Amino acid sequence: MADISVPSLILFIASIVVAAGVSGVLIDTVTGISNSVDQRGGDVSTEIRTDIEVISDADASVYNETSDTLTVYVKNTGLRTLPATSGGFDIIVDAQYQTDVTTSVVDGAEWRPSNVVRLEITNLDLTSPDDHRLKVVVDGDEEVFEFYVS
């Protein structure tokens, strides 16, 4: 009887030690995954609540050839207040990143939902007549505006 119980006891203790080690690794892995999902969920929530729309008329004269300035109006159609500073926007015109951007909120002090921002992009040299493309990116939301310079 003692011949069977000692090896069984050793195997039992070994299996408990292995199970404890495996459970420790699994708990650490699940905690890491859970934290990643929580963080990504917050990022996705912010992106979902962010929405913009370029409301300028593509047929109107949005480009002033004399001053080489493009003026467009962008409406906050999302659910949260967005930054209305030139650093809060990524502006790309005809595949060229633009840094000479001036922003101003048209109807208020902050760019709240339903408010409009005027973007003035200067130092452009757009060929005319030709079709052009403007891409506006704010907090991960992007909008494309196509216009014609005659």
Side-chain angles (χ1 to χ4, degrees):
M1 177 106 173
D3 293 338
I4 296 175
S5 55
V6 172
S8 296
L9 184 60
I10 291 173
L11 286 174
F12 177 72
I13 292 172
S15 64
I16 294 295
V17 169
V18 169
V22 168
S23 67
V25 170
L26 286 177
I27 288 172
D28 186 46
T29 303
V30 169
T31 302
I33 291 172
S34 175
N35 290 339
S36 296
V37 168
D38 287 345
Q39 182 179 4
R40 182 65 182 141
D43 294 344
V44 169
S45 172
T46 299
E47 288 178 17
I48 288 173
R49 295 176 8 172
T50 303
D51 194 22
I52 60 169
E53 191 73 35
V54 176
I55 60 172
S56 293
D57 185 5
D59 293 331
S61 179
V62 293
Y63 179 66
N64 183 337
E65 290 184 57
T66 306
S67 63
D68 290 331
T69 302
L70 175 66
T71 304
V72 294
Y73 293 89
V74 181
K75 184 174 186 175
N76 180 354
T77 56
L79 300 174
R80 66 185 193 98
T81 301
L82 298 172
T85 61
S86 59
F89 291 84
D90 287 324
I91 307 292
I92 301 166
V93 178
D94 292 341
Q96 298 293 319
Y97 187 80
Q98 302 299 317
T99 56
D100 293 330
V101 179
T102 305
T103 63
S104 58
V105 179
V106 175
D107 51 354
E110 292 182 314
W111 196 21
R112 297 179 185 270
S114 299
N115 285 10
V116 176
V117 163
R118 177 180 35 250
L119 298 177
E120 292 182 352
I121 301 110
T122 55
N123 296 327
L124 292 174
D125 187 20
L126 301 179
T127 58
S128 62
D130 204 359
D131 290 324
H132 299 281
R133 236 180 116 135
L134 164 77
K135 185 176 194 177
V136 180
V137 181
V138 178
D139 281 353
D141 187 48
E142 59 186 53
E143 196 65 36
V144 174
F145 177 68
E146 296 179 352
F147 61 98
Y148 182 77
V149 174
S150 54

